């Protein structure tokens, strides 16, 4: 069994732009295990957390990925792979936008647009996506020059945004 990890943490007093994080956390862990000569198991987690919690930004972000893989190699003529990955992405921040000129007057204005006509409207924007990715395949090599592979790959995504 082999396990590798990488962790990083950071804090910036001033972010360069409104979408640059002030607080950053990153966690990466990868494990591989070979219980038999013909069986390999792998797993990984990759997690990123970002924040910019000042009152005019309120940025919260994360990107999280988890994966598992199994490879079976019973002999040199046959192999089987099976894998799964789950990804979760999220972002939320205050945004400024200009509304339709014919719409009602804004009730809350962006601090950066004071004095401009029409003033920008302050709102909350968010983005969320969850993805499942799965695959499997079987490889058969009956002779040295002939290889046959059959498999399946599927990606299933759902999410929402403002």
């Amino acid at each position: 069994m082999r396990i590798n990890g990488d962790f990083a943490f950071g804090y910036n007093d001033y972010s360069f732009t409104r979408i640059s994080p002030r607080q950053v956390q990153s966690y990466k862990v990868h494990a591989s295990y070979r219980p038999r000569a013909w069986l390999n198991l792998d797993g990984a987690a990759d997690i990123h957390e970002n924040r910019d919690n000042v009152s005019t930004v309120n940025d919260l972000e994360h990107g999280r990925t988890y994966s598992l893989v199994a490879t079976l190699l019973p002999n040199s003529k046959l192999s089987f792979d099976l894998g799964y990955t789950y990804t979760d992405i999220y972002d939320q921040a205050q945004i400024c936008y200009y509304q339709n000129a014919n719409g009602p007057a804004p009730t809350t204005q962006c601090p950066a647009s004071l004095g401009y006509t029409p003033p920008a409207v302050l709102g909350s924007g968010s983005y969320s996506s969850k993805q499942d990715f799965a695959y499997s395949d079987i490889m058969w090599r009956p002779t040295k020059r002939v290889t046959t592979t059959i498999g399946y790959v599927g990606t299933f995504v759902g999410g929402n945004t403002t």
Side-chain angles (χ1 to χ4, degrees):
M1 176 178 262
R2 182 176 184 169
I3 300 173
N4 296 321
D6 182 26
F7 308 100
F9 307 94
Y11 182 81
N12 304 313
D13 288 338
Y14 300 101
S15 58
F16 297 111
T17 65
R18 291 179 58 84
I19 59 172
S20 296
R22 286 181 177 224
Q23 300 169 12
V24 177
Q25 299 173 9
S26 177
Y27 310 90
K28 296 179 185 181
V29 177
H30 177 249
S32 58
Y33 180 53
R34 191 174 198 170
R36 303 275 185 256
W38 50 269
L39 177 61
N40 293 321
L41 302 172
D42 266 346
D46 187 356
I47 301 169
H48 293 276
E49 302 282 339
N50 297 333
R51 306 271 185 273
D52 190 353
N53 293 338
V54 296
S55 62
T56 60
V57 179
N58 291 328
D59 181 41
L60 302 173
E61 306 172 25
H62 71 245
R64 301 172 184 155
T65 303
Y66 308 96
S67 61
L68 299 169
V69 177
T71 303
L72 288 82
L73 304 157
N75 58 52
S76 63
K77 294 184 177 192
L78 185 66
S79 72
F80 177 73
D81 287 320
L82 179 66
Y84 173 77
T85 300
Y86 174 77
T87 303
D88 175 12
I89 298 171
Y90 178 78
D91 183 20
Q92 164 196 304
Q94 285 186 354
I95 58 173
C96 293
Y97 62 94
Y98 288 95
Q99 68 183 37
N100 185 333
N102 297 325
T107 57
T108 308
Q109 296 179 7
C110 291
S113 74
L114 294 177
Y116 291 96
T117 304
V121 178
L122 181 65
S124 179
S126 66
Y127 172 82
S128 162
S129 175
K130 295 180 185 337
Q131 176 183 22
D132 295 283
F133 173 77
Y135 71 92
S136 67
D137 65 60
I138 298 172
M139 186 276 302
W140 177 52
R141 182 176 294 154
T143 66
K144 203 173 202 178
R145 294 181 181 247
V146 177
T147 301
T148 303
T149 303
I150 188 168
Y152 171 80
V153 174
T155 301
F156 313 94
V157 181
N160 58 52
T161 186
T162 317

